[in-house]
Amino acid sequence: MISAEGLIDGTWELTIFVTDLQVERTLRVKGDLHVGGLMLKLVEALDIAIDWSDHGLYWPGKTLWLSRTRSTLDQYGVQSDAYLWFTPMHKNLRVMMPDLQMLDLRIDFSINVFSVVVKICKELGVRHPEELSLSRKMAREELKKNKGISATRRTQLPGLTAPNGHLSNRNYESGTMGSPSYRGRTMATPQGTMRGGHGGGQQSSPYATMGGHSPNYSFNANGTTSPGSAHSLSFDGSLDASLINSPAMSARDALVLLHRPRNLAEKARINAGWLDSSRSLLEQGIVENDTVLLRYKFFTFYDINPKYDAVRINQIYEQARWSLISEELDCTEEEMIMFAAIQLQVQKQSLLPQPSYDGSASQGEDEIDSALTDLQVSLEGTSLSAASDITRTPELRDYLRFFKPKKFAFKSFKRCFFVFKDTHLSMYKSADDVTESAVVRFNLKGCEVTSDAYVSTQKFNIRLFIPVHDGMTEIWIRAETEEQFARWSAAFKLAAKGHTMADSSYETEVKSTLAFLSMQHPASAVITNPCDLRFEPDNYIAPRFLNRTKTERQFCQRIMEAHTNVSSMNLMEAKLNYIKAWQSLPENGLTYFIIKLKGSKKEELLAVASNRMIRMDLHKGDSLKTWRFQNMKSWSVNWEIKQVQVAFEDEEVAFQCLTADCKVVHEFIGGYIFLSMRSGDKNQSLDEELFHKLTGGWL
């Protein structure tokens, strides 16, 4: 532009669309104008006396909020060809809860998804929001084919801290991520990802997510609507009640909202819907009045406490229930009957008065008692160490049945004598041969353990996929009794993590397995009214079981028989037992992706769990190789070729994801590392900065 004095002043025209008014304004600006000044100049040009404080500038061409008001247009790369929106940051969003209730919320579309989830959970009284995330609603057609190799990369701007997932050996050992040493630490007893609450200012509460409502974040004045009924839930306490005890919904209605994956490939494609936690909703194509799904993404539930977690426990229970009924998670028919029986108990107890877990008068005493109990356990050790010689490593010796699968061979189990010590399993022809060399000896460290127990037929199988130099070898072990099955399977699971039976969690795992099996026992006598049999089994049983030859009345009778084993549970006990049994299923906690390893053209399945990655056969689901996170040094994304790179102590793994953005896979890995580092200190605040460093994907 030529000024009146004949000089070039360096200005240029920038067009901004005001979404509220549906008008455009063209302003003359310079590249050194900061974003805050641009918004002020736009408001002055509009000359309309309304409150613009909730508005911000959004660049749809770059899918980017210009949120740093002190940065200049040049720093953001805004030039004359840019087209900006001036739009409200808070917009309406429909959120489907894990129990399938639909909430109409007022959400800040300019903050990242992680912060959005934290705010939603704070409003709903759900602790530990880091375990949840948002997913877009997938169309059924999207499950039929792979998404293709993709990566959504947000341009790194000046002044932004580049997060990364690098853990050098020194980082592991010295705890440079703001935590004690990570190397060698058991995943179940993580340390330090939370900032302590003893800093300056007001002391933060460990239950801070249950606080009051934020000023810029509110529910729709019209309340919320449940898809299971036509009633509106007003915001006067009924919302909390409906989230603690969800309204009844038939499976027929629920399956309209849920996906029923038919195979492992479709289970993998479901995970394409997860949103990037480090980017905002609008930057990921979510617009006002869209529907998103709030779901538990990471299956490591920390510090579940019935006193504070009524909503949280119910939502986990509901997500578990619908994952079984929709067949997203597989189980045996016996296990399905057991889950149906517990579900029936939950529904019966929800109609009855329940014991209170509030106990505010005795809260201080409870915390003191809990602290004293923890101190006693730490001083005295576990029952295992107290009852045995601490200088002697515990071992198992017994007769078991052994089978190694071969092509075109019948499943024939051979009775042999086994000795398990440290992490090694040795097989002998008989007990008399123990002094001689073992017929075969396996090191179970890093193996995959899958348990298949059939209580009615007394078949207790343990499948082991053991690492060898050329992949994984599969063997089957069959126990003869429930006690034997519980002890050997618990020992194998610990060995897979590199631990021995001296680990304090061994007895806990044994008791948990026995409790899980006891709930599947057929009842000797069914104590019930004939009228109680009048319920529809399709609300309790996955459709694939109902398609078999058994009649509905037969299923009802079996559910009532199994219900006798759980009829003494109150509501909270029933939900917690359902969750515990759900966590015991072999596939629980596995998130699937279809990948291509670097240098390979073959499509394979990758399962990400809380402590490992598993390479699997896409069609059979057999484990081919396992990589443990405790041996991992770094993980990152090569954005140029859309490739996830993970470095372990002995090898490097690189792959491209065919079913989801590669950032999704990276975020699962980093997210589980973040969750594994939570400390036992309950007086802690959420370290969002560390979460983004571990999940950001930057080199």
Side-chain angles (χ1 to χ4, degrees):
M1 172 182 175
I2 305 298
S3 64
E5 294 79 16
L7 300 176
I8 300 176
D9 62 6
T11 62
W12 39 272
E13 291 185 343
L14 178 65
T15 303
I16 303 176
F17 177 65
V18 183
T19 58
D20 283 358
L21 306 178
Q22 293 291 298
V23 298
E24 289 183 355
R25 286 291 184 270
T26 300
L27 306 177
R28 298 207 68 85
V29 298
K30 287 185 177 182
D32 61 357
L33 178 65
H34 56 78
V35 172
L38 176 60
M39 288 193 289
L40 180 61
K41 192 170 185 177
L42 175 62
V43 170
E44 291 174 349
L46 291 171
D47 194 24
I48 299 177
I50 61 175
D51 184 4
W52 299 99
S53 61
D54 187 45
H55 286 61
L57 288 172
Y58 179 71
W59 189 357
K62 298 288 186 180
T63 60
L64 179 68
W65 282 96
L66 309 187
S67 55
R68 294 184 294 119
T69 55
R70 294 186 178 182
S71 295
T72 65
L73 298 180
D74 283 342
Q75 287 175 318
Y76 269 112
V78 176
Q79 298 178 354
S80 59
D81 59 345
Y83 185 77
L84 305 182
W85 290 356
F86 190 55
T87 185
M89 293 180 287
H90 286 80
K91 303 175 186 293
N92 295 328
L93 184 70
R94 304 208 77 195
V95 178
M96 185 188 292
M97 297 293 291
D99 64 355
L100 308 186
Q101 292 191 79
M102 200 77 75
L103 305 182
D104 292 321
L105 307 180
R106 190 79 174 163
I107 299 293
D108 189 343
F109 275 58
S110 68
I111 60 176
N112 61 55
V113 167
F114 187 88
S115 298
V116 168
V117 173
V118 170
K119 288 180 177 290
I120 293 175
C121 289
K122 183 176 181 179
E123 293 293 334
L124 302 178
V126 177
R127 297 193 305 144
H128 303 294
E130 66 273 15
E131 298 167 354
L132 300 97
S133 190
L134 296 176
S135 172
R136 60 169 48 87
K137 198 173 181 182
M138 302 274 292
R140 297 188 186 275
E141 292 74 23
E142 295 181 83
L143 300 185
K144 297 179 181 179
K145 60 181 180 180
N146 293 342
K147 179 180 179 181
I149 298 171
S150 64
T152 304
R153 179 183 183 183
R154 175 174 176 174
T155 304
Q156 192 177 10
L157 300 171
L160 288 180
T161 302
N164 66 79
H166 181 68
L167 289 179
S168 65
N169 289 337
R170 185 169 56 180
N171 287 349
Y172 272 108
E173 294 165 357
S174 63
T176 56
M177 293 190 302
S179 66
S181 172
Y182 175 76
R183 177 181 292 277
R185 187 171 299 279
T186 305
M187 289 295 183
T189 57
Q191 296 290 330
T193 22
M194 303 291 203
R195 293 198 183 108
H198 298 287
Q202 186 178 355
Q203 180 175 337
S204 63
S205 165
Y207 309 110
T209 54
M210 301 182 70
H213 304 283
S214 55
N216 291 325
Y217 182 86
S218 61
F219 286 85
N220 190 315
N222 296 326
T224 59
T225 305
S226 165
S229 66
H231 301 293
S232 176
L233 304 174
S234 60
F235 191 53
D236 58 358
S238 61
L239 175 63
D240 291 336
S242 71
L243 294 176
I244 293 173
N245 292 308
S246 303
M249 177 186 289
S250 70
R252 189 178 296 106
D253 292 336
L255 291 175
V256 174
L257 304 172
L258 298 169
H259 295 301
R260 281 186 60 196
R262 296 174 297 177
N263 49 46
L264 289 169
E266 291 193 359
K267 289 182 181 181
R269 291 170 189 139
I270 287 177
N271 293 307
W274 290 109
L275 298 180
D276 186 341
S277 295
S278 61
R279 305 176 71 215
S280 71
L281 292 167
L282 196 57
E283 288 169 342
Q284 300 181 70
I286 306 298
V287 298
E288 189 168 12
N289 295 318
D290 272 0
T291 297
V292 295
L293 316 179
L294 180 66
R295 294 290 184 269
Y296 279 90
K297 179 177 183 178
F298 303 104
F299 299 100
T300 51
F301 307 120
Y302 177 78
D303 185 32
I304 293 182
N305 190 327
K307 185 187 297 184
Y308 306 104
D309 290 330
V311 174
R312 182 182 177 210
I313 290 171
N314 181 65
Q315 295 302 316
I316 297 174
Y317 159 75
E318 289 288 339
Q319 181 166 328
R321 180 167 75 94
W322 291 121
S323 71
L324 291 169
I325 292 178
S326 68
E327 302 174 13
E328 185 178 343
L329 187 65
D330 292 334
C331 66
T332 65
E333 185 173 315
E334 285 186 353
E335 290 166 342
M336 191 76 251
I337 295 297
M338 177 201 64
F339 283 115
I342 303 176
Q343 179 185 336
L344 180 61
Q345 178 67 6
V346 168
Q347 293 184 355
K348 286 189 173 185
Q349 287 294 310
S350 65
L351 304 175
L352 303 175
Q354 297 297 314
S356 173
Y357 288 91
D358 294 337
S360 55
S362 61
Q363 179 177 350
E365 297 178 6
D366 291 343
E367 292 177 353
I368 294 173
D369 291 342
S370 176
L372 289 174
T373 301
D374 293 342
L375 178 61
Q376 181 180 358
V377 170
S378 64
L379 292 176
E380 295 180 357
T382 64
S383 58
L384 180 65
S385 61
S388 60
D389 183 2
I390 61 174
T391 63
R392 178 174 172 272
T393 304
E395 63 179 42
L396 290 174
R397 292 170 173 249
D398 210 341
Y399 279 97
L400 299 167
R401 296 191 177 275
F402 170 82
F403 166 70
K404 186 171 183 179
K406 296 180 181 179
K407 289 184 177 180
F408 312 113
F410 293 104
K411 190 182 294 185
S412 176
F413 284 87
K414 183 179 180 180
R415 192 170 187 265
C416 299
F417 189 79
F418 287 86
V419 176
F420 177 80
K421 188 174 182 179
D422 293 325
T423 61
H424 292 84
L425 178 67
S426 303
M427 185 178 76
Y428 304 87
K429 290 182 179 179
S430 68
D432 299 332
D433 299 332
V434 172
T435 56
E436 302 176 5
S437 298
V439 175
V440 65
R441 192 168 187 261
F442 300 105
N443 185 357
L444 302 188
K445 185 176 180 180
C447 76
E448 284 300 314
V449 184
T450 304
S451 302
D452 293 316
Y454 301 90
V455 175
S456 60
T457 58
Q458 290 294 291
K459 291 182 180 179
F460 306 103
N461 299 325
I462 306 171
R463 295 177 66 190
L464 301 175
F465 294 90
I466 304 170
V468 292
H469 68 280
D470 58 346
M472 304 278 271
T473 185
E474 179 184 0
I475 66 170
W476 288 50
I477 302 293
R478 175 172 289 179
E480 297 178 354
T481 65
E482 293 181 15
E483 178 76 19
Q484 193 182 53
F485 171 78
R487 293 204 166 274
W488 286 80
S489 63
F492 293 161
K493 289 175 182 177
L494 283 173
K497 301 175 184 177
H499 304 299
T500 69
M501 292 170 57
D503 192 276
S504 60
S505 62
Y506 174 71
E507 290 295 337
T508 303
E509 180 68 28
V510 172
K511 292 177 182 177
S512 176
T513 303
L514 289 173
F516 178 66
L517 295 175
S518 68
M519 289 189 291
Q520 300 180 49
H521 288 169
S524 55
V526 182
I527 306 172
T528 184
N529 259 327
C531 61
D532 286 340
L533 294 175
R534 296 176 184 173
F535 61 90
E536 296 183 8
D538 59 353
N539 291 329
Y540 300 81
I541 304 292
R544 73 177 183 278
F545 298 116
L546 294 171
N547 294 335
R548 298 177 182 176
T549 55
K550 295 182 179 68
T551 64
E552 287 192 2
R553 185 168 182 83
Q554 286 176 312
F555 272 114
C556 290
Q557 185 64 38
R558 290 184 65 189
I559 293 172
M560 293 306 300
E561 289 174 358
H563 178 260
T564 307
N565 295 325
V566 299
S567 59
S568 61
M569 297 178 184
N570 63 36
L571 179 61
M572 190 61 70
E573 290 172 343
K575 289 180 180 179
L576 289 173
N577 274 280
Y578 194 104
I579 294 170
K580 187 181 295 185
W582 175 65
Q583 289 178 301
S584 300
L585 295 175
E587 286 189 24
N588 179 267
L590 298 182
T591 305
Y592 298 110
F593 303 94
I594 297 177
I595 65 165
K596 279 186 181 179
L597 289 170
K598 183 179 180 180
S600 173
K601 296 182 179 180
K602 182 181 179 182
E603 293 186 359
E604 297 183 279
L605 194 67
L606 179 75
V608 180
S610 62
N611 58 1
R612 66 199 189 282
M613 296 191 314
I614 312 167
R615 177 184 162 206
M616 306 175 73
D617 183 274
L618 179 58
H619 305 290
K620 298 180 180 178
D622 293 340
S623 299
L624 303 176
K625 191 175 181 66
T626 298
W627 299 282
R628 297 266 165 190
F629 289 163
Q630 63 189 22
N631 300 321
M632 184 167 59
K633 296 192 296 184
S634 67
W635 64 102
S636 59
V637 174
N638 185 329
W639 297 104
E640 302 303 326
I641 59 175
K642 307 173 180 63
Q643 181 174 270
V644 180
Q645 301 170 154
V646 187
F648 294 91
E649 290 178 344
D650 54 351
E651 67 176 313
E652 292 191 3
V653 180
F655 58 86
Q656 294 174 313
C657 184
L658 307 180
T659 52
D661 194 300
C662 61
K663 174 63 164 59
V664 176
V665 188
H666 183 278
E667 190 168 306
F668 267 96
I669 298 172
Y672 273 124
I673 295 297
F674 175 80
L675 296 181
S676 73
M677 296 168 63
R678 291 179 292 190
S679 72
D681 180 16
K682 298 174 185 176
N683 190 20
Q684 54 192 337
S685 58
L686 187 59
D687 192 345
E688 183 174 347
E689 180 182 355
L690 179 59
F691 176 86
H692 291 301
K693 282 184 178 180
L694 297 179
T695 61
W698 294 91
L699 291 168

